[in-house]
Amino acid sequence: MISPGDFFILFLILCSLGVVLSVFLPERRNPLLLAWISSIAAISVLWSSGNVLLYGLPFQIELWTLPFLGTMVLQMDRLSALFVFITGLVFLPVSIFSAEYMKKYFSRYNLKTFSVFYHLLFASIVLLLIANDIFSFLLTWEIMSILSYLLVNYEHEKDENTSSGYLMLAMSEAGTIMAAFAFLLLANGSGGLDFASLKSVSAGLGDSSRWAIFLLSFFGFSVKAGLVPNSIWLPKAHPAAPSNVSALLSGVILNLGIYGILRINADILPVTQIGMGLITLFVGTVSALVGILYATIRNDMKVMLAHSSIENMGIITAGIGAGFVFTVSGYPVLAGIAFITALYHMTNHSLYKALLFLGAGAVDSSVGDRNMDRLGGLMKVMPWTGLFFLIGALSIAALPPFNGFVSEWLTLQTMLQSAALQSKAVKIVFALCGAALALTAALAVTCFVKAFAMSFLGIARTKQAEKAIEVRRSMMIPMGVLAVSCLLFGILPTYIIPVLDHTITPLTQESVVDELVPPFFTVAKSDPKFSDAFVSEFHDLGAQTGRNVIPGRGLVVLHRGTERNPVVFAMSTSYTLVVLVLLLTGVFILIRVLTKARMVTRKPVWDGGVRRLMPEMTYTATGFSNPVRVIFEAIFRPSMLDERKETIAEHFRTAINNERKEVHIVDRSVFQPIVKWIQSMATLLGRMHSGSVNIYAAYVLISLVIVLIIQALL
Amino acid sequence: MNKWVLKGLKTGIKTTLYPDKEETSPGISPGLPQGKQTMGDEAQVVSRCPTQALNHIKDMISVDYRRCIHCFRCLRGIHNPVDWDKGYEWAVSIKEIDDASRMLGKAFDHSLHIRFVDGGACGACISEIEQINKPYYNIHRLGFFITPTPREADVLLVAGPVTDHMRLPIEKAYDAMPAPKRVIAIGTCAISGGIFGPSFASEGGISNLIPADIVVPGCPPPPLSIIHGLLLVVSRKPSASLTSPKSTEGERPHD
C-alpha cells in the first residue's frame, strides 16, 4: 500500500514537473498543462492529507540538517492535514477552471510565468502547512508571500494593480516580521528550532513573554488572515488579481493566517490568559461586522467578495477566541465545540468563497465587467453560472441546507454557551459579540441577495451584459464541483464534525464528538454515556431514522447539557433537506394539479405603462444597499459633493452631480493618523536640515559632547 | 382624547344601501336630460346644446348620451325644458359577449379587481372614481377591489378621451390583464371623446383603441353610476339599453 508520505512525494514531483514543463512547453499549451498537472497534484495531496485526517497516519520527513539552524522537518499531523486537505480541495477546481480562464491573457501576459508561479505557490503552501520547524516555516511563508504577490500582480501593466500588489507585499512582510519575532521569543531558551522542542519548553515561559508572543503572533498572522485592522490590503488585492488567483487568495491563503494563529497559540504555546481569548474574540467580531458592512455597500463583485472574506475570517477568529476563553476558563468541551465550529466555518468559507470567486471570474470573462450596477439579467444567458453562484450565495448567506448555515449556527450557539462562564464581564463581552455576529449574519443575507439579484436577475443594464454567453464547460464543471461540495458539507455535518474533532483533540485534550454528534444510529440500550430516557426520547422524535441503512453515528447535531436541561441545542440539516424536498415537490405537484385545466398566458412584466423600460429605471445595486448605507452612516462617514447646474429660471436642472467619497473606517481611524503622525514628526525633524554646513558641524560637536558626558557619567 | 371609536359607533353606518335599496339622498346625481315631445321649439332647444347631444327626430327630441355633458342648458333658461332624469343607473352594456371564454364566471361576482387608468381626464371623473373607494360608497362591501397592477385586474376603468401620451399605457395595461377581462369607459370623454373629440392629440374615446364593453355616461358620472357599471359587469344588475338610443355609432362628432 502506498503511504500518505509517498503521495506527498508524488505531489512534490508533480509540482516540480509542472514548473519544468511550463518553461519548456509553448505558451499556448500552458493553461492546459497547468490544469492537468496541478489537478493531479491536488488529488494526490488530497489523498495524502485525507489519509492522515481520517486514519491518523501522521508522517514525518526529515530534510537536510543546516548548520546552526537544526534539522528541517516536515511533519503532517492532523491539524496540518486539515489545512492541506482544504488547500487541495480548493486547488483542484481552481486548476481546472484556470485552463479556460487563463486563455484570455494569451498574448497579453506571459502565461509561462503564471504557470510556474502557480505550481510553486501550490508547493510552497503545502510545504508551509507541514513545516515543523521555525526555519522551514518562515522560509516557505516568505516564498508563499512573494509568490502570492506575484500572482496577484499578474496584470502588472495596470498601475493600480501594481500599487495594490505593493501594499499587499508590504503588509505581508510587516506581518511576517511580527510573526518571526514571536517565533524568536519562543525559540529563546529552547534547544532546537523544531516545533516539538519549542512545545516542550513553552510551559516554563513567563506571563510577559506569553503576552508578547500572543500579541506578535496574533497581529502578525492576522495580516494574512485579513483581520481588522490589518485587512486593508485585501479589498485592493482581490480586484487586481485574476479571478482564479482570487479564489486561491480567499480560499487558501487567508486560511494560512488562521493556521499560524492556531499553530502558535493553540498548539505550541496554548493561551493561558482569558484576555488573549477576549482580544481574539473582539478582533474577530469587529472584523466580521466591518467586513460585512463594507461588503454590503460595494458594487464591484470582487471587492464585495473581498470584504465578505474579511467578515468570514472574523467569524472564524471569533470562534477561535471563544475557544481560547473556554480553554482558559476550564471548559474543554465547550472549547472543543468552539474550535470545531471555527474550523468548520473555515472549510466552508474556502469552498463557497472559491465558488463565488470563480463565478465572478466567469461573469467577468463573459461580460467584461464586474460592477453589479452594469450587470443584470445574466440568469437568462448564463443559467449554469447563475445557478452555481446562487448556491454559493445561499451558502455564504447561511441559509439551510447549505454549509454556511451549519457553521454560522454553531458559531452563534457557541456564543450562547458563555452562560457557563463565571465572570460577568466576560459574559457581557460574549453577549455583545454574539449580538454583533447575529447582525453580521443578517447583513450577509442582504449583501448576497443584492449580489445575486442585481447581477443575475432583472434586465440587462448594458449591451455587454445582454450579449453575454455562457462560459465553456471546463469552467462550469469546477463551479459545479464546488457547489455540490457546499451542499454536501451542509447536509452531512455529522460526518464532518468527527473528522474535525480528530483534528482538535490534540489541542484541547478532549474528544467532544459524543457531545456534538450523539451516535443515534449505533447507541445500544443501557449505554453508560447516554441514558435510556434520553435516547428513547430522541428515537421517538425520529433521530434514528435511517438506522441500519446509513453508516455513521447519526444525522442530528446535538449538544447535551445537564440533567435539568438535557438538550442545549440540536438541529439536523440532513432531515431538513428531506423535509424541504418533500415540501417543495408537494407544493409543485399541488400547483400542477390545481392549474392543470387552467389556461396560462405569458405576458411581459408590467412596467407601469412606460414607453420603454430602460435599464436605468430598474432597481440598482446602489439603491438596494442604500438603506444599509444610511443606517450605518456613522461608520461609513462619507464626504458628499452635491453639485447642481441649473438654468437661469431654476426650474430645469441641466446636470446633477452627486459624488460620495468614503474612506474605509480602518484607514480613517488607524492608518491615516499614523501616517499623519509620522509625517509631522518628519517635518519636525526636517527642520534640522537647514542646509548650512556650519550648523551641521555644530550637530557633530553637540553629539560628541553628549556622548562624552554620558561616557563620563557612566 | 381620541374618541373616534365612540364617534364612529354613535354615528353608525352611513354607507349607501345601493344596490339593495334605491338611494334617495338629495344631490346624489346631477341627472341627465331625457327626450321629449317637440312643441314647435325644437330648433331652439337643439341649438342650445353645445355638444350636439340633442337631436330632432320626427316629433321627438332625443338625447345622445354619448355626448351629453349635462350642462343644464336644455333645462334652465328656456321655456320648455326637456324632461330631466334624476336617476343614476346609466351604465349600459354596448357589446354583446358572444365568446364563452370571455365570460366572467360566477367566481367574479363577489371578487372583482379593478385597475383604473386615467386617459387624460380633466379630473372630474377621477374624483368620482375616488369616491367609490370611500366610506359612503365603499365598493369593498360589494367585493370590488382596486388593484395597483393590471396583472391582477379583471376590469379596466378608463376615464378621459385617451390622449396621445396615454394611448400606449392603456394598451399595455389592457394587454397585461389576464383573460377574461372587461373594459368600462367612464364619462362622456371616454365614450366619445366628449368636448375634446378625436384630434391630433386625442383618440376620441376608448372604443377607438380597445373594445369597451360597458359605458357609463355622464360628465362626470356620479359614483353610483360607476358602481352600477361594475354591477353590470358581473351581471348583478340587468343590462338595459340607453333610454334614448339614438345611435350614432361609427360617426364621430367633429368629423
Side-chain angles (χ1 to χ4, degrees):
Chain A
M1 194 197 145
I2 312 168
S3 74
D6 296 337
F7 269 103
F8 179 72
I9 303 291
L10 175 68
F11 160 74
L12 286 184
I13 293 169
L14 279 170
C15 281
S16 336
L17 190 72
V19 171
V20 174
L21 283 181
S22 42
V23 173
F24 288 109
L25 276 184
E27 210 175 317
R28 189 183 292 276
R29 303 216 175 262
N30 253 306
L32 203 60
L33 167 92
L34 180 147
W36 276 105
I37 300 266
S38 53
S39 53
I40 296 171
I43 289 169
S44 65
V45 85
L46 274 176
W47 189 271
S48 161
S49 58
N51 260 314
V52 178
L53 207 54
L54 288 174
Y55 308 114
L57 308 163
F59 64 87
Q60 194 168 2
I61 302 168
E62 288 203 8
L63 300 175
W64 46 89
T65 310
L66 297 165
F68 313 116
L69 291 171
T71 315
M72 287 172 75
V73 185
L74 300 178
Q75 187 198 340
M76 193 187 282
D77 60 0
R78 279 180 154 161
L79 183 64
S80 299
L82 175 70
F83 282 83
V84 173
F85 191 79
I86 297 169
T87 307
L89 213 54
V90 175
F91 260 93
L92 177 62
V94 170
S95 304
I96 302 169
F97 184 87
S98 304
E100 188 68 35
Y101 182 78
M102 289 311 291
K103 277 183 185 163
K104 72 173 187 175
Y105 293 108
F106 182 69
S107 81
R108 280 165 58 212
Y109 292 97
N110 194 339
L111 290 176
K112 281 186 183 183
T113 50
F114 183 87
S115 187
V116 169
F117 292 157
Y118 189 90
H119 288 107
L120 285 177
L121 179 73
F122 193 6
S124 70
I125 289 172
V126 173
L127 284 172
L128 155 70
L129 288 170
I130 64 170
N132 208 35
D133 65 304
I134 295 177
F135 181 72
S136 35
F137 183 90
L138 287 178
L139 183 72
T140 43
W141 181 274
E142 272 306 283
I143 295 173
M144 179 276 297
S145 297
I146 291 167
L147 284 171
S148 54
Y149 154 72
L150 288 170
L151 283 177
V152 163
N153 193 17
Y154 182 61
E155 291 176 63
H156 55 85
E157 277 167 23
K158 290 180 190 156
D159 282 347
E160 68 267 22
N161 289 1
T162 312
S163 71
S164 11
Y166 276 140
L167 178 68
M168 174 186 177
L169 192 62
M171 292 206 63
S172 161
E173 289 308 296
T176 313
I177 290 168
M178 286 169 83
F181 271 111
F183 274 122
L184 284 181
L185 283 174
L186 268 173
N188 190 14
S190 103
L193 290 182
D194 56 315
F195 289 166
S197 57
L198 295 183
K199 208 171 170 178
S200 61
V201 297
S202 67
L205 282 169
D207 265 358
S208 53
S209 28
R210 276 172 188 275
W211 266 105
I213 291 166
F214 167 74
L215 289 175
L216 283 169
S217 64
F218 180 70
F219 285 102
F221 285 122
S222 81
V223 175
K224 262 287 171 275
L227 297 175
V228 167
N230 298 329
S231 59
I232 51 166
W233 62 275
L234 196 58
K236 294 198 171 78
H238 269 301
S243 287
N244 46 354
V245 177
S246 285
L248 296 180
L249 193 58
S250 262
V252 175
I253 294 175
L254 294 187
N255 291 350
L256 302 180
I258 300 290
Y259 173 74
I261 292 170
L262 273 182
R263 182 54 87 188
I264 291 194
N265 295 306
D267 182 28
I268 298 175
L269 179 69
V271 290
T272 47
Q273 304 282 325
I274 210 161
M276 298 176 183
L278 289 181
I279 286 176
T280 315
L281 175 64
F282 179 73
V283 169
T285 311
V286 171
S287 304
L289 198 54
V290 170
I292 197 62
L293 279 176
Y294 279 91
T296 312
I297 63 160
R298 289 288 177 259
N299 288 340
D300 185 310
M301 256 185 175
K302 282 176 81 176
V303 176
M304 183 276 288
L305 290 173
H307 282 289
S308 150
S309 288
I310 298 174
E311 174 233 337
N312 279 284
M313 283 295 140
I315 293 173
I316 296 161
T317 312
I320 292 174
F324 286 164
V325 172
F326 287 131
T327 313
V328 174
S329 317
Y331 295 95
V333 171
L334 294 181
I337 294 175
F339 283 132
I340 286 178
T341 302
L343 291 180
Y344 201 161
H345 197 71
M346 190 187 70
T347 317
N348 293 341
H349 172 244
S350 295
L351 290 173
Y352 53 63
K353 196 47 74 66
L355 169 58
L356 288 170
F357 268 118
L358 295 191
V363 168
D364 191 14
S365 64
S366 178
V367 183
D369 204 336
R370 296 190 308 246
N371 191 332
M372 290 179 232
D373 271 344
R374 292 198 290 268
L375 296 172
L378 292 180
M379 203 66 187
K380 275 173 234 139
V381 284
M382 304 171 74
W384 286 102
T385 309
L387 176 69
F388 296 142
F389 196 92
L390 175 65
I391 290 176
L394 288 175
S395 304
I396 200 168
L399 294 175
F402 294 99
N403 57 0
F405 167 75
V406 181
S407 48
E408 277 214 39
W409 180 81
L410 278 171
T411 308
L412 292 174
Q413 289 290 1
T414 309
M415 292 292 141
L416 292 175
Q417 297 316 303
S418 63
L421 295 166
Q422 307 295 324
S423 159
K424 281 234 163 56
V426 176
K427 275 187 193 175
I428 289 170
V429 173
F430 263 81
L432 291 176
C433 289
L437 288 177
L439 175 62
T440 306
L443 282 169
V445 179
T446 316
C447 177
F448 282 91
V449 165
K450 167 187 153 183
F452 179 73
M454 294 304 154
S455 320
F456 288 93
L457 305 181
I459 56 174
R461 296 195 182 83
T462 49
K463 278 271 180 294
Q464 290 101 301
E466 210 177 326
K467 286 177 184 157
I469 44 163
E470 180 62 285
V471 290
R472 297 277 289 272
R473 206 166 290 166
S474 65
M475 276 164 93
M476 261 189 293
I477 288 168
M479 288 193 273
V481 168
L482 285 168
V484 169
S485 22
C486 277
L487 184 63
L488 286 181
F489 275 67
I491 59 172
L492 300 173
T494 49
Y495 293 86
I496 294 166
I497 288 170
V499 176
L500 296 174
D501 178 64
H502 286 315
T503 313
I504 56 101
T505 307
L507 308 181
T508 55
Q509 270 81 42
E510 192 151 343
S511 172
V512 294
V513 67
D514 281 340
E515 294 296 325
L516 263 182
V517 187
F520 287 119
F521 284 177
T522 53
V523 69
K525 269 248 156 70
S526 65
D527 190 301
K529 273 186 169 172
F530 300 94
S531 68
D532 285 347
F534 175 80
V535 172
S536 65
E537 192 178 335
F538 278 91
H539 279 198
D540 291 348
L541 285 171
Q544 92 291 12
T545 309
R547 191 174 188 161
N548 301 331
V549 182
I550 309 166
R553 302 171 70 88
L555 292 173
V556 180
V557 176
L558 185 146
H559 178 46
R560 283 185 304 153
T562 53
E563 284 288 311
R564 270 183 59 215
N565 181 20
V567 179
V568 181
F569 56 76
M571 65 114 201
S572 170
T573 36
S574 327
Y575 295 132
T576 307
L577 178 77
V578 174
V579 172
L580 214 62
V581 167
L582 286 178
L583 279 177
L584 285 175
T585 38
V587 169
F588 180 72
I589 291 168
L590 199 68
I591 288 172
R592 286 300 288 268
V593 168
L594 285 178
T595 60
K596 209 174 162 189
R598 305 277 164 103
M599 182 180 63
V600 177
T601 49
R602 299 210 173 267
K603 289 284 162 75
V605 177
W606 171 240
D607 51 13
V610 292
R611 211 150 277 270
R612 191 169 155 247
L613 187 64
M614 306 293 276
E616 300 93 295
M617 295 170 176
T618 57
Y619 212 18
T620 58
T622 314
F624 190 86
S625 56
N626 208 41
V628 175
R629 203 174 277 129
V630 171
I631 292 167
F632 295 97
E633 189 97 29
I635 290 175
F636 299 128
R637 273 203 238 149
S639 58
M640 304 278 274
L641 173 77
D642 195 356
E643 200 179 277
R644 277 150 208 270
K645 283 188 189 141
E646 287 165 353
T647 54
I648 302 154
E650 295 190 1
H651 293 306
F652 300 102
R653 287 179 179 148
T654 52
I656 299 177
N657 182 19
N658 259 314
E659 261 180 46
R660 193 186 155 91
K661 276 184 186 162
E662 273 161 10
V663 182
H664 194 283
I665 183 166
V666 174
D667 262 347
R668 195 174 62 226
S669 52
V670 180
F671 288 96
Q672 282 183 353
I674 292 176
V675 168
K676 215 177 247 174
W677 183 77
I678 289 175
Q679 278 175 345
S680 67
M681 291 308 285
T683 340
L684 215 62
L685 290 172
R687 282 195 208 148
M688 284 167 64
H689 299 277
S690 57
S692 156
V693 179
N694 301 352
I695 291 176
Y696 291 165
Y699 288 156
V700 173
L701 194 66
I702 291 166
S703 347
L704 187 66
V705 169
I706 291 171
V707 168
L708 286 175
I709 289 169
I710 292 170
Q711 183 72 21
L713 287 177
L714 288 173
Chain B
M1 216 188 97
N2 209 335
K3 289 181 182 161
W4 62 268
V5 178
L6 285 178
K7 195 188 166 197
L9 287 172
K10 211 187 280 173
T11 313
I13 297 170
K14 290 287 177 189
T15 306
T16 174
L17 291 171
Y18 182 79
D20 299 333
K21 278 186 185 156
E22 282 294 302
E23 177 63 54
T24 50
S25 310
I28 203 80
S29 163
L32 276 177
Q34 279 182 319
K36 67 158 196 162
Q37 294 279 325
T38 51
M39 291 168 160
D41 53 354
E42 59 275 355
Q44 189 208 350
V45 175
V46 167
S47 69
R48 281 185 73 82
C49 184
T51 57
Q52 296 147 9
L54 297 183
N55 285 291
H56 177 220
I57 295 173
K58 289 178 195 158
D59 57 344
M60 290 281 286
I61 290 179
S62 70
V63 187
D64 181 359
Y65 291 127
R66 293 157 196 277
R67 291 181 186 171
C68 175
I69 58 168
H70 42 78
C71 61
F72 300 100
R73 276 173 62 92
C74 50
L75 178 69
R76 295 171 192 158
I78 55 171
H79 278 299
N80 292 311
V82 296
D83 298 336
W84 203 259
D85 168 28
K86 285 296 235 178
Y88 43 80
E89 290 195 336
W90 301 338
V92 175
S93 179
I94 59 165
K95 228 167 137 250
E96 288 298 314
I97 294 159
D98 38 11
D99 187 357
S101 71
R102 293 191 64 234
M103 206 68 111
L104 285 179
K106 243 339 199 190
F108 292 90
D109 277 11
H110 293 275
S111 169
L112 192 72
H113 290 257
I114 303 155
R115 165 76 201 195
F116 166 59
V117 179
D118 169 8
C122 62
C125 292
I126 301 167
S127 64
E128 299 301 314
I129 289 166
E130 264 172 21
Q131 291 300 323
I132 65 171
N133 215 10
K134 283 180 178 174
Y136 190 77
Y137 298 103
N138 189 11
I139 50 168
H140 288 175
R141 74 202 152 96
L142 302 170
F144 301 156
F145 307 96
I146 289 179
T147 74
T149 161
R151 297 288 286 251
E152 301 163 0
D154 310 308
V155 171
L156 183 69
L157 291 191
V158 181
V162 187
T163 56
D164 201 31
H165 273 287
M166 286 313 286
R167 191 179 340 164
L168 184 72
I170 288 173
E171 267 178 347
K172 276 190 160 183
Y174 181 72
D175 200 40
M177 284 165 64
K181 49 194 171 187
R182 289 284 172 279
V183 178
I184 302 183
I186 302 290
T188 310
C189 294
I191 300 168
S192 65
I195 58 168
F196 304 105
S199 73
F200 70 96
S202 145
E203 199 67 25
I206 183 69
S207 290
N208 295 329
L209 188 68
I210 51 174
D213 303 299
I214 307 256
V215 296
V216 183
C219 189
L224 285 178
S225 298
I226 301 169
I227 293 176
H228 180 235
L230 292 169
L231 290 168
L232 268 191
V233 167
V234 292
S235 317
R236 279 161 75 178
K237 279 278 174 184
S239 183
S241 60
L242 286 165
T243 35
S244 179
K246 232 205 110 246
S247 174
T248 51
E249 205 163 355
E251 182 196 326
R252 295 188 185 182
H254 293 282
D255 275 351

